[in-house]
Amino acid sequence: MWRLYLRDVFYTLGVAAAGAALTFALAIPVCGWLRARAFGPVEFLLKVPLFVPFVVVGHALRVFLSPWAPGLAGSWTGIAVALAWKHLGLAALLLLGAFRAVDESHLEAARNVGAGTARLTKDVLVPMSAPSLAVSAVLIFSSMLASFSIPLMMGRGGGAQMLMIDVYYRFGQHGDFETAAALGVVGYLMAMGAALVYLRRLTPPLQRRSLR
Amino acid sequence: MTRLIARAAALAVAAFVVLGPLASLAVWSLAERWTAPSPWPQRFGLKYWNRMLTADFLEPLRLGVVIALVVTAAALVLAIPLGYALARLPFPGRALVLLAFLMPQAFPQLPVFASATREFYRWGLAGTVTGVVLVHLVGALVFAVWTMAAVFRALAPELEEAAWNLGASTTRTFVSIALPLATPGVVASAVLVFLYSLDEFTGTLLVGAPFVTTLPVYMYTASQGYELQIASVTALVLMLPGAVLLLALERFLKSEYLVFFGQL
């Protein structure tokens, strides 16, 4: 069992890591630019993926990629690209929130000594919002680990699979609930580290304002 | 001038990256013939859009809307009092309830749905509409409770304190002070839950198979049968409510709710 699925565990971790890296590689410069000079239309476009359901994203990227790059859609790159596309909206929302919480005076100080938008992002915005960035990264990474609809819609080639696809086929196709459940627990364990950080950061503000 | 060019370039790149995949859905939905090496369909037409008018498509749409309405009503009835309690009242096990509602956000859903399906087989709920409603409620309650708690927390507590000082009970304060003030939040929460249920795929696929088909499941089946055009038409229809919401409500939706759309 371990021998069968160990490869898929690493595949899942790899795809999620690549997807999360791609999301942030796109979102950080764009959000830094948007923080330095607000530009409504681009900000609006970035929010669009939030409103597109996962299943639709999987199918949309499959038909988007397949005519021009056959074979890419079902590969690990295609899945990572689709996951990054879907999470771009969430990342933009979280990053813009974090970047806008950085006080304007810090940006002015950096500009006065000659920093451009790139330097501003790299040396002021990112370090100053590092805790929120870490939480966003964890959130997005664990969501990618658990992704099911996108890899399912992108098509199942041979070779390694995302872990949730394994769970689905074990359970749905083979009726093998025990193995599916074991794989599910492996998925939980992978998300566990991520969840701990998430909970620790999110619960305190919720407990602050009770009345009596 | 360079600033103008930079903006135009940024807009063009963002439009391609974000709208490209969505536009290709539209192209596919109109492609009557598109064979492999051609980068563009050979014949366009409305053939597949006309298929929308057949029972094949309308039945999953109708069923999905009915399920979403039931799920929304049930979720709100449960989430409004629970959200209020979480926001305002200290009760034993409060942190535990909070944790229970946060867990599904952080953990993979699929294994939970697989276990639910197995139990539902035992109770005769697998493959029924009731089963699908129940499985949608798992996710819907997370959305609803979380947004309702946020809505009630955002109200100024002074108004409720005043009611208490004048001798109103907790229930009375909730019904005549907090609830009317929270109405916009309740509406937002209802819209969220309705959309969640309409777009829900994983739970419906597992629990509903093979008898309950909503639009996302219909789309999956179509794409598995390489009916990419049918799947594209369905995808565009599924995107419609979200698109309307984005255009109409973008500036009114707080980012606290928006984050939840990331989970759809």
Side-chain angles (χ1 to χ4, degrees):
Chain A
M1 146 93 194
W2 268 114
R3 256 186 310 136
L4 258 168
Y5 287 109
L6 195 59
R7 185 179 64 155
D8 288 358
V9 168
F10 284 114
Y11 178 78
T12 306
L13 287 169
V15 171
L22 184 59
T23 309
F24 281 90
L26 288 168
I28 289 177
V30 176
C31 292
W33 185 74
L34 283 174
R35 171 65 182 87
R37 61 199 79 217
F39 187 33
V42 169
E43 195 178 330
F44 175 82
L45 280 174
L46 278 181
K47 281 187 190 158
V48 168
L50 279 175
F51 292 83
V52 185
F54 274 95
V55 246
V56 173
V57 172
H59 179 66
L61 274 117
R62 180 187 177 194
V63 296
F64 180 60
L65 295 174
S66 55
W68 292 288
L72 182 66
S75 72
W76 72 268
T77 335
I79 295 172
V81 167
L83 286 172
W85 191 90
K86 170 64 188 171
H87 288 88
L88 205 55
L90 186 60
L93 199 67
L94 297 171
L95 289 194
L96 273 175
F99 286 175
R100 292 208 167 120
V102 173
D103 199 84
E104 192 64 38
S105 60
H106 297 291
L107 297 189
E108 273 165 25
R111 280 203 195 98
N112 283 344
V113 290
T117 307
R119 281 294 299 274
L120 216 61
T121 308
K122 183 169 80 71
D123 293 337
V124 181
L125 290 175
V126 171
M128 287 196 72
S129 46
S132 327
L133 281 184
V135 176
S136 318
V138 160
L139 194 61
I140 286 169
F141 178 70
S142 59
S143 163
M144 287 178 175
L145 282 180
S147 65
F148 168 66
S149 331
I150 288 183
L152 190 72
M153 291 304 296
M154 302 281 291
R156 180 177 132 96
Q161 295 294 329
M162 294 297 277
L163 201 62
M164 290 303 130
I165 302 285
D166 287 333
V167 174
Y168 176 65
Y169 278 101
R170 270 286 128 198
F171 177 70
Q173 233 76 341
H174 305 283
D176 179 2
F177 179 73
E178 287 72 20
T179 312
L183 288 171
V185 172
V186 173
Y188 281 171
L189 291 177
M190 295 202 297
M192 185 81 89
L196 284 176
V197 180
Y198 179 56
L199 286 176
R200 196 173 302 158
R201 291 269 173 191
L202 271 190
T203 36
L206 203 66
Q207 282 162 351
R208 231 176 273 144
R209 276 187 82 182
S210 65
L211 272 179
R212 308 190 254 191
Chain B
M1 187 62 199
T2 45
R3 196 168 152 189
L4 203 69
I5 292 170
R7 286 195 161 192
L11 190 61
V13 172
F16 176 75
V17 169
V18 172
L19 300 180
L22 304 182
S24 71
L25 283 179
V27 172
W28 269 96
S29 76
L30 294 170
E32 283 191 4
R33 209 179 72 209
W34 192 351
T35 46
S38 161
W40 205 246
Q42 284 99 350
R43 195 170 70 232
F44 286 100
L46 286 172
K47 187 172 126 198
Y48 292 96
W49 280 96
N50 286 333
R51 285 270 291 273
M52 257 183 72
L53 300 172
T54 64
D56 263 12
F57 181 90
L58 291 176
E59 184 47 33
L61 176 66
R62 189 194 64 82
L63 189 60
V65 170
V66 169
I67 290 174
L69 287 173
V70 175
V71 168
T72 309
L76 284 185
V77 165
L78 292 168
I80 292 174
L82 191 54
Y84 185 70
L86 281 172
R88 287 288 194 251
L89 312 170
F91 60 90
R94 188 171 165 279
L96 216 65
V97 173
L98 213 57
L99 191 72
F101 276 100
L102 275 171
M103 292 275 267
Q105 291 294 107
F107 286 105
Q109 283 184 324
L110 185 70
V112 177
F113 291 152
S115 309
T117 309
R118 197 170 129 101
E119 291 305 311
F120 282 6
Y121 271 123
R122 207 168 292 163
W123 304 332
L125 286 171
T128 66
V129 173
T130 319
V132 172
V133 167
L134 286 174
V135 87
H136 281 198
L137 270 176
V138 175
L141 275 175
V142 176
F143 277 77
V145 169
W146 194 236
T147 48
M148 284 324 300
V151 166
F152 285 122
R153 241 186 359 267
L155 300 180
E158 289 76 17
L159 292 169
E160 288 153 71
E161 274 162 6
W164 272 326
N165 285 343
L166 294 171
S169 66
T170 307
T171 318
R172 178 92 198 273
T173 310
F174 168 66
V175 174
S176 26
I177 310 287
L179 199 55
L181 286 172
T183 308
V186 173
V187 173
S189 178
V191 171
L192 255 173
V193 170
F194 183 82
L195 276 183
Y196 166 80
S197 173
L198 204 63
D199 292 338
E200 211 285 336
F201 170 66
T202 314
T204 318
L205 181 68
L206 276 127
V207 171
F211 302 117
V212 182
T213 306
T214 58
L215 278 190
V217 176
Y218 177 69
M219 182 183 130
Y220 169 65
T221 317
S223 93
Q224 286 311 92
Y226 288 95
E227 291 187 291
L228 293 183
Q229 290 93 334
I230 294 287
S232 301
V233 171
T234 316
L236 287 170
V237 173
L238 276 175
M239 269 172 48
L240 202 64
V244 169
L245 197 72
L246 177 66
L247 291 171
L249 294 176
E250 199 246 349
R251 70 189 63 186
F252 301 110
L253 282 173
K254 293 186 186 137
S255 54
E256 203 151 16
Y257 308 146
L258 277 173
V259 166
F260 282 90
F261 278 97
Q263 319 280 332
L264 284 183

